[in-house]
């Protein structure tokens, strides 16, 4: 019990951030993580041992978030008609939050917020949560080909975003390109 | 276009800058606290397929036993109940002891630890109380629901007097008349009274009725149903629920959030409802076993006895036999349908268990 408790506490930050990137709301993210942790408790007999259990926890959080989004009628309506509309702007978390955010983070988050949910969710799952395309397809109940297509659309849109244009047009497998060093530097300090 | 590796770095830089609630983990832990307490019993077995297979075997075994019992019970219901009455004291004593201890060990360890099972062949008195020392119930006293049906033939014009005498007899032995009905003005006056008398007075009252004082006894049938197990089981469940209620009351006094209070209160309401239902059932059972029921029918003429097709000839006999066989066939059809329904019910239960197990296994893959 103590081990389970400390393990869940250690994984809270990453779980919350993943949920927040998908939901764009602190209260919803907190609720989703709480619900996910409750699922973990209920199915504690199924927790894999060893290195795999962090990935398992992550999957549970992602699934709980997807379930929340699916339960949301707005999401369902948008998802069904396939229309690519933007979400409202992310909530403001006050001066302290603004101070913590660097310029890079703000730009990335703004560009991410400009994406419609149908594109933003796969992007977060693929490039932040680290899920494979097949795992994303299972999570959002779409074909792997659809996921691949949406990821491509998202990258095209993000490349066209003025805030991230500096990182576009670089070799696919190359280094970070313009500003790439700054990215790594800021990422390592955050 | 932005490469995947760059996008990964950008998203990690942005995502890791999202401020996490400082007390988020503590809030989750606090929220999980009551859940953990309430859901401790939802401990999923490690192998749902094994569980479903075991459940299927148990259900099929029960069905087999039920069918076998149904087949073998054709010997006569009356004889079976008579045997139950004869064996009641010894059987009830041992069965009550074991049933009580099992129930209480499983559900309420504080309620029955001091109770000892009854010694074989000894009819326990009410001294064997529960371990808690409160609300002591004579749990090992054999409880038998006794019933008797008696037909009397009174002399001409003596039916009203016979009925009055039966009423007085019940009151004389500490009982009462549960119901009374009669047709005293017709050519063939008849009447029926249902007497409830204390079980201890049952034999005396029965003997008095059949002594000839109230009419000639034409037919006497008795039955007894041992409900000791049922009564003791109810008693154990009531004690367990009372212990649970006390636990939840303690939790309620310590709840400091509205959510916790509502959750505990909801559970308390459920427990109280179950408790009242069980106490009601126990009260009914106690009343049935505390007082015997004697149904006495009084008439001037003996009741007509139907003799099937005796003396019938020709078409009359043919129609009568046809009607009799139709009724008999209908009875057999209904009986066979009952067995088939039982088997179908068992199959449905097994299918349900398998479905739940498969769904549970799928949910594990979240």
């Amino acid at each position: 019990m103590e081990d389970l408790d400390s393990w869940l506490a250690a994984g809270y930050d990453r779980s919350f951030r993943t949920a927040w990137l998908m939901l764009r709301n602190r209260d919803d993210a907190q609720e989703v993580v709480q619900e996910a942790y409750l699922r973990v408790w209920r199915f504690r007999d199924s927790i894999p041992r060893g290195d795999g259990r962090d990935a398992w926890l992550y999957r549970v959080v992602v699934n709980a978030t997807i379930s929340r989004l699916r339960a949301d009628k707005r999401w369902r309506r948008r998802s069904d008609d396939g229309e690519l509309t933007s979400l409202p702007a992310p909530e403001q978390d006050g001066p302290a939050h603004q101070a913590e955010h660097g310029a890079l983070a703000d730009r990335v988050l703004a560009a991410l917020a400009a994406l419609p949910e149908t594109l933003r969710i796969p992007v977060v799952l693929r490039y932040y949560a680290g899920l494979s395309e097949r795992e994303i397809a299972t999570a959002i109940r779409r074909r792997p080909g659809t996921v691949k297509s949406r990821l491509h659309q998202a990258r095209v849109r993000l490349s066209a975003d003025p805030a991230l244009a500096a990182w576009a047009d670089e070799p696919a497998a190359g280094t970070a390109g313009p500003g790439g060093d700054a990215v790594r530097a800021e990422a390592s300090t955050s | 276009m932005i490469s995947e590796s760059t996008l990964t770095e950008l998203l990690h830089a942005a995502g890791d800058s999202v401020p996490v609630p400082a007390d988020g983990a503590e809030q989750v832990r606090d929220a999980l606290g009551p859940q953990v307490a309430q859901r401790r019993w939802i401990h999923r077995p490690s192998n749902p397929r094994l569980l479903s297979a075991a459940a299927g075997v148990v259900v099929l075994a029960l069905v087999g036993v039920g069918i076998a019992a149904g087949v073998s019970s054709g010997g006569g219901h009356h004889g079976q109940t008579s045997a139950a009455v004869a064996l009641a004291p010894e059987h009830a004593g041992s069965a009550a002891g074991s049933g009580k201890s099992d129930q209480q060990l499983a559900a309420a360890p504080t309620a029955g630890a001091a109770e000892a099972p009854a010694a074989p062949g000894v009819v326990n008195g009410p001294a064997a109380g529960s371990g808690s020392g409160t609300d002591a119930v004579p749990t090992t006293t054999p409880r038998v629901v006794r019933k008797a049906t008696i037909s009397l033939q009174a002399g001409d014009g003596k039916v009203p007097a016979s009925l009055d005498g039966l009423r007085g007899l019940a009151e004389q032995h500490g009982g009462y008349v549960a119901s009374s009905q009669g047709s005293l003005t017709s050519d063939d006056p008849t009447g029926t009274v249902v007497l409830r008398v204390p079980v201890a007075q049952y034999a005396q009252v029965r003997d008095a009725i059949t002594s000839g004082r109230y009419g000639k006894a034409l037919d006497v049938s008795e039955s007894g149903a041992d409900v000791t197990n049922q009564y003791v089981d109810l008693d154990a469940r009531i004690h367990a629920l009372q212990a649970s209620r006390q636990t939840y009351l303690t939790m309620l006094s310590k709840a400091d959030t509205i959510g916790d209070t509502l959750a505990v209160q909801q559970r308390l309401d459920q427990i109280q409802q179950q408790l009242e239902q069980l106490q009601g059932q126990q009260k009914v059972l106690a009343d049935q076993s505390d007082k015997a029921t004697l149904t006495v029918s009084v008439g001037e003429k003996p009741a007509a006895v139907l003799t099937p097709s005796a003396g019938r000839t020709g078409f009359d006999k043919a129609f009568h036999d046809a009607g009799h066989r139709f009724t008999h066939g209908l009875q057999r059809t209904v009986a066979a349908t009952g067995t088939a329904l039982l088997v179908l019910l068992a199959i449905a239960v097994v299918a349900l268990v398998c479905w739940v197990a498969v769904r549970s296994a799928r949910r594990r893959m979240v």
Side-chain angles (χ1 to χ4, degrees):
Chain A
M1 174 62 194
E2 192 63 33
D3 178 51
L4 182 65
D5 193 51
S6 58
W7 172 58
L8 291 178
Y12 182 83
D13 288 4
R14 198 177 181 203
S15 301
F16 173 82
R17 283 170 174 151
T18 303
W20 187 88
L21 286 173
M22 295 168 70
L23 295 166
R24 312 291 292 175
N25 183 286
R26 289 176 66 83
D27 292 337
D28 286 351
Q30 276 189 277
E31 283 183 19
V32 161
V33 173
Q34 181 174 316
E35 188 180 329
Y37 277 30
L38 179 59
R39 288 188 196 179
V40 170
W41 168 259
R42 291 176 61 189
F43 298 100
R44 58 192 179 281
D45 294 335
S46 304
I47 298 175
R49 299 184 183 280
D51 298 336
R53 70 176 190 170
D54 284 340
W56 185 85
L57 170 65
Y58 216 35
R59 287 286 309 278
V60 174
V61 172
V62 167
N63 284 349
T65 310
I66 295 289
S67 298
R68 169 63 64 93
L69 288 170
R70 197 171 287 131
D72 185 355
K73 291 180 181 176
R74 291 181 308 145
W75 157 264
R76 187 172 298 170
R77 188 170 60 248
R78 276 195 301 273
S79 179
D80 288 344
D81 60 18
E83 185 182 355
L84 303 181
T85 56
S86 297
L87 275 179
E91 61 182 19
Q92 300 299 319
D93 290 314
H97 175 76
Q98 294 293 340
E100 288 180 12
H101 272 236
L104 172 65
D106 282 344
R107 277 182 285 166
V108 174
L109 291 177
L112 202 59
L115 289 177
E117 275 186 4
T118 49
L119 298 185
R120 184 160 51 85
I121 302 303
V123 166
V124 172
L125 295 180
R126 181 74 186 95
Y127 301 115
Y128 186 75
L131 269 61
S132 68
E133 290 175 356
R134 184 171 295 277
E135 288 172 329
I136 297 170
T138 304
I140 66 173
R141 297 183 186 176
R142 292 290 183 274
R143 294 190 185 92
T146 305
V147 173
K148 194 180 186 72
S149 169
R150 288 184 180 180
L151 286 173
H152 180 75
Q153 281 186 60
R155 284 173 59 200
V156 169
R157 285 204 179 200
L158 289 173
S159 301
D161 192 302
L164 302 180
W167 286 275
D169 297 324
E170 61 176 0
T175 57
D181 295 338
V183 171
R184 290 199 179 87
E186 292 190 47
S188 61
T189 55
S190 61
Chain B
M1 190 165 63
I2 300 177
S3 71
E4 290 192 322
S5 59
T6 303
L7 195 53
T8 302
E9 290 184 13
L10 286 171
L11 272 178
H12 274 88
D16 292 345
S17 70
V18 172
V20 178
D23 57 346
E26 284 72 22
Q27 284 183 11
V28 171
R29 189 181 294 117
D30 293 342
L32 284 178
Q35 300 285 352
V36 169
Q38 290 179 16
R39 292 171 188 268
R40 189 172 294 279
W41 56 274
I42 310 179
H43 185 85
R44 297 295 197 273
S46 56
N47 191 343
R49 290 180 181 173
L50 185 63
L51 173 68
S52 59
V57 169
V58 169
V59 170
L60 289 176
L62 287 175
V63 170
V65 169
I67 292 173
V71 170
S72 63
S73 65
H77 184 70
H78 184 68
Q80 191 177 5
T81 54
S82 299
V85 173
L87 294 173
E90 293 183 2
H91 169 69
S94 59
S98 60
K100 171 80 173 178
S101 59
D102 287 349
Q103 283 287 336
Q104 288 186 336
L105 283 175
T110 59
E115 184 175 10
V122 176
V123 179
N124 291 335
S130 64
S132 61
T134 58
D135 298 334
V137 178
T139 53
T140 52
T141 302
R143 288 195 169 269
V144 179
V145 177
R146 294 186 183 279
K147 292 181 180 178
T149 303
I150 303 172
S151 297
L152 299 179
Q153 181 187 7
D156 291 343
K158 292 183 179 178
V159 171
S162 176
L163 292 174
D164 289 341
L166 290 169
R167 293 190 188 96
L169 179 67
E171 293 170 1
Q172 183 185 344
H173 287 83
Y176 61 93
V177 178
S179 68
S180 173
Q181 59 181 1
S183 173
L184 304 179
T185 57
S186 63
D187 294 338
D188 182 17
T190 58
T192 302
V193 288
V194 178
L195 310 179
R196 299 294 310 279
V197 297
V199 168
Q201 304 291 321
Y202 167 76
Q204 294 181 31
V205 173
R206 180 200 57 199
D207 292 345
I209 294 173
T210 57
S211 65
R213 195 184 311 164
Y214 307 99
K216 181 183 177 185
L218 299 177
D219 184 41
V220 179
S221 63
E222 295 178 82
S223 67
D226 181 11
V227 295
T228 312
N229 266 351
Q230 200 176 342
Y231 187 88
V232 171
D233 185 43
L234 280 173
D235 188 52
R237 290 165 65 187
I238 287 172
H239 276 78
L241 281 176
Q242 285 172 338
S244 296
R245 182 178 61 179
Q246 190 56 43
T247 304
Y248 276 102
L249 283 174
T250 307
M251 289 174 62
L252 186 63
S253 65
K254 293 179 180 176
D256 50 4
T257 66
I258 295 177
D260 292 350
T261 305
L262 288 177
V264 175
Q265 186 63 52
Q266 187 180 9
R267 183 67 187 131
L268 261 176
D269 291 344
Q270 293 173 352
I271 289 178
Q272 185 63 32
Q273 190 178 2
Q274 293 174 8
L275 197 56
E276 288 172 359
Q277 286 177 351
L278 294 181
Q279 284 173 334
Q281 293 175 19
Q282 192 185 38
K283 192 175 177 182
V284 170
L285 214 54
D287 177 67
Q288 288 179 343
S289 56
D290 283 344
K291 286 188 169 59
T293 304
L294 297 100
T295 305
V296 186
S297 302
V298 185
E300 290 186 357
K301 299 175 183 175
V305 178
L306 295 176
T307 52
S309 69
R312 297 178 190 272
T313 57
F315 281 109
D316 184 26
K317 182 177 185 302
F319 279 119
H320 184 273
D321 289 347
H324 181 69
R325 285 170 187 164
F326 176 78
T327 308
H328 202 62
L330 207 58
Q331 287 175 345
R332 287 188 175 180
T333 303
V334 170
T337 307
T339 305
L341 283 177
L342 191 62
V343 172
L344 284 175
L345 182 65
I347 292 172
V349 169
V350 172
L352 181 65
V353 169
C354 291
W355 179 75
V356 169
V358 169
R359 196 180 66 164
S360 173
R362 284 182 179 168
R363 291 182 66 182
R364 283 168 183 276
M365 301 175 68
V366 290

